[in-house]
Amino acid sequence: MKKFFILTSVLTIMGCSNSTENATKELVKSKLKDPASAQFQNVKENCGEVNSKNSYGGYVGFKRYVSLDGSVIMESDDLDPLIFELGWTA
């Protein structure tokens, strides 16, 4: 049921604009081990890609994310990759 709710929430995102881009970046940073190292690319309001350092100090590579209603779903979260992919393409 949780996966269905996440998928439904992600699918409701109807595009991206610049109005809440900074707030979304702050939400994403709050989920990272080293928020100060965050590098963003392809950012469009509620979605984009982020790269940051892990606990060993090395960058992990860009991971996609989607934000909705104050929560962030990262590609690397414990989520079925197919569900994330469906949400990302929406």
Side-chain angles (χ1 to χ4, degrees), residues 12-76:
T12 60
I13 298 173
M14 299 300 297
C16 301
S17 68
N18 293 327
S19 63
T20 61
E21 191 175 299
N22 289 334
T24 300
K25 284 182 179 181
E26 291 304 315
L27 281 173
V28 171
K29 286 181 179 182
S30 72
K31 293 190 71 169
L32 303 174
K33 295 231 183 237
D34 184 357
S37 69
Q39 301 172 340
F40 292 90
Q41 69 179 20
N42 301 322
V43 177
K44 295 179 182 172
E45 188 182 342
N46 295 331
C47 52
E49 298 172 294
V50 64
N51 187 15
S52 67
K53 292 183 179 180
N54 60 18
S55 356
Y56 298 107
Y59 280 93
V60 297
F62 282 94
K63 303 289 183 189
R64 298 178 294 174
Y65 67 85
V66 177
S67 173
L68 182 66
D69 296 333
S71 63
V72 175
I73 303 169
M74 308 263 313
E75 184 175 23
S76 57

